[in-house]
């Protein structure tokens, strides 16, 4: 690999990292504005025009607050918890194809950090690691409410990862690959996987809500029962890391859903657009379409949060074990039958 290629990869990593942080930051603003719309309020409107500088004010407040570590907490693990949460949230973007290859000055620039042939397994591994940040933080706080929230998070993630994995198996039977880059290429134009796997997509989306601890699956931080859940004892930027990790996870989950089921950067008429705009502009339009899909999913996450009340914990586990897993297995069987007899 040439030095220029290494510099391009490094630059792409920095750009994706910064985009993830900015999207997470302004997702808090969007969430508050959407909540205000649903509740017939105004929302943030003091910091800057239309309150658009509110996320910067919130970030400055997080940095300025006093760092408090409870007397009986385990200091090292208390810091490791939020650090691990934000780390695992950020590294999931490495295998996502953000667009087709750019061609600038005769040099081909791939808009994917790395296209490993087990990209889906990598995503699952990163998602599985994310719960350790919550678990460690809840245990290290030496607080019974924090510990209960951490245990809830661990059991919830394990339960819904099984359903998510089973929903993906049916998709793999159709695509025949674990590479996210190849899956995106197979959906060229309008041949999106959601047309072939609607049940799989529905299962995956429900599990994504549970994996990101979003309402109606936000039992690990259920304020009516557990004060603040696993981050009860956290303040300042350590709390900010947990909150940022949730929004980055939401962004990455939306990107994965858009890539696996909704065509990623593909859209109808993309060949005509690329032919008329050139190999430098055409792929960027595809990237813009990809981000539009991501933002629609993020809006859906927020819409559900301010519309549906949270489950009881027994309802949450019943849904995971008694409904989603059997449905995912049935989807695999039906997909196998269709592939065998109708391909």
């Amino acid at each position: 690999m040439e030095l220029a290629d290494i510099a391009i990869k490094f630059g792409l990593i920095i750009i994706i990292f910064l985009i993830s942080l900015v999207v997470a930051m302004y997702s808090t603003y969007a969430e508050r504005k959407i909540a205000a719309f649903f509740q017939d309020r105004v929302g943030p409107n003091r910091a800057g025009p239309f309150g658009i500088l509110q996320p910067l004010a919130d970030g400055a407040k997080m940095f300025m607050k006093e760092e408090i570590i409870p007397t009986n907490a385990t200091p090292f693990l208390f810091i490791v918890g939020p650090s691990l949460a934000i780390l695992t949230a950020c590294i999931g973007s490495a295998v996502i194809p953000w667009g087709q290859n750019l061609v600038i000055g005769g040099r081909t620039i791939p808009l994917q950090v790395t296209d490993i042939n087990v990209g889906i397994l990598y995503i699952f591994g990163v998602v599985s690691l994310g719960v350790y940040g919550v678990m460690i933080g809840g245990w290290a706080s030496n607080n019974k409410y924090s510990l209960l929230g951490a245990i809830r998070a661990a059991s919830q993630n394990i339960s819904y990862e099984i359903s998510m994995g089973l929903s993906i198996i049916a998709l793999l039977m159709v695509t025949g690959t674990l590479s996210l880059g190849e899956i995106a290429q197979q959906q060229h134009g309008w041949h999106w996987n959601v047309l072939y796997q609607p049940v799989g997509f529905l299962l995956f989306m429900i599990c994504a809500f549970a994996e990101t601890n979003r309402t109606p699956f936000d039992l690990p931080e259920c304020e009516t029962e557990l004060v603040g859940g696993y981050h009860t004892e956290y303040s300042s930027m350590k709390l900010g890391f947990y909150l940022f990790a949730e929004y980055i996870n939401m962004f990455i989950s939306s990107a994965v859903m858009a890539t696996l089921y909704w065509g990623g950067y593909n859209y109808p008429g993309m060949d005509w657009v690329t032919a008329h705009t050139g190999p430098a502009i055409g792929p960027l339009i595809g990237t813009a379409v990809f981000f539009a899909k991501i933002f629609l999913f993020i809006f859906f996450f927020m819409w559900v949060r301010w519309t549906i009340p949270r489950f009881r914990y027994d309802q949450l586990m019943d849904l995971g074990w008694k409904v989603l897993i059997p449905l995912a297995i049935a989807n695999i069987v039906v997909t196998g039958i269709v592939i065998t007899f109708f391909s």
Side-chain angles (χ1 to χ4, degrees), residues 82-272:
S83 304
L84 188 59
I86 193 77
L87 174 66
T88 54
C90 289
I91 62 177
S93 59
V95 295
I96 294 173
W98 300 95
Q100 291 175 296
N101 292 342
L102 276 174
V103 180
I104 300 177
R107 179 179 289 277
T108 301
I109 302 173
L111 295 182
Q112 185 177 12
V113 175
T114 178
D115 186 16
I116 55 177
N117 58 3
V118 288
I120 293 179
L121 292 181
Y122 173 84
I123 292 288
F124 269 85
V126 169
V127 167
S128 300
L129 284 174
V131 74
Y132 283 99
V134 174
M135 193 71 203
I136 289 172
W139 183 83
S141 298
N142 198 23
N143 175 303
K144 60 185 177 183
Y145 294 116
S146 300
L147 182 60
L148 280 170
I151 292 170
R152 281 184 172 189
S155 57
Q156 176 175 316
N157 278 42
I158 291 168
S159 303
Y160 282 83
E161 272 173 18
I162 297 172
S163 305
M164 183 179 277
L166 291 173
S167 70
I168 285 291
I169 289 174
L171 179 67
L172 299 183
M173 293 165 68
V174 174
T175 60
T177 178
L178 285 163
S179 165
L180 288 174
E182 289 182 26
I183 290 173
Q185 290 168 15
Q186 290 175 8
Q187 301 175 81
H188 190 77
W190 56 269
H191 300 286
W192 297 352
N193 287 328
V194 69
L195 301 174
Y196 311 107
Q197 280 292 314
V199 176
F201 165 67
L202 184 63
L203 291 168
F204 190 93
M205 184 174 62
I206 293 171
C207 294
F209 272 87
E211 292 291 313
T212 53
N213 294 330
R214 296 285 299 182
T215 305
F217 301 99
D218 61 338
L219 275 299
E221 48 190 278
C222 178
E223 71 280 350
T224 55
E225 302 167 14
L226 303 178
V227 186
Y230 60 89
H231 52 61
T232 297
E233 297 288 358
Y234 281 91
S235 62
S236 188
M237 207 55 209
K238 293 193 291 297
L239 173 63
F241 276 180
Y242 273 129
L243 302 181
F244 251 64
E246 178 182 321
Y247 283 103
I248 293 175
N249 282 329
M250 193 166 67
F251 171 60
I252 299 301
S253 297
S254 300
V256 170
M257 284 191 287
T259 302
L260 293 179
Y261 292 99
W262 288 87
Y265 51 77
N266 295 292
Y267 57 95
M270 60 185 300
D271 290 332
W272 184 89

Side-chain angles (χ1 to χ4, degrees), residues 276-297:
H276 286 77
T277 56
I281 303 299
L284 293 179
I285 295 174
T287 302
V289 170
F290 185 39
F291 272 93
K293 295 174 184 177
I294 291 172
F295 293 146
L296 283 173
F297 275 119

Side-chain angles (χ1 to χ4, degrees), residues 327-341:
L327 195 56
I329 294 172
N331 187 44
I332 293 171
V333 173
V334 172
T335 302
I337 291 171
V338 170
I339 289 173
T340 303
F341 292 105

Side-chain angles (χ1 to χ4, degrees), residues 16-34 44 47 50-63 86 89-90 214 237 240-252 295 298 302:
I16 292 172
F17 177 70
L18 291 177
I19 288 174
S20 298
L21 292 182
V22 171
V23 169
M25 186 167 66
Y26 273 90
S27 290
T28 62
Y29 171 78
E31 178 117 65
R32 294 168 71 177
K33 278 293 188 182
I34 289 170
F50 306 106
I52 203 165
L53 299 179
Q54 187 65 46
L56 300 178
D58 291 340
K61 180 186 75 172
M62 286 287 189
F63 274 111
I86 193 77
C90 289
R214 296 285 299 182
M237 207 55 209
F241 276 180
Y242 273 129
L243 302 181
F244 251 64
E246 178 182 321
Y247 283 103
I248 293 175
N249 282 329
M250 193 166 67
F251 171 60
I252 299 301
F295 293 146
I298 291 176
M302 295 175 181

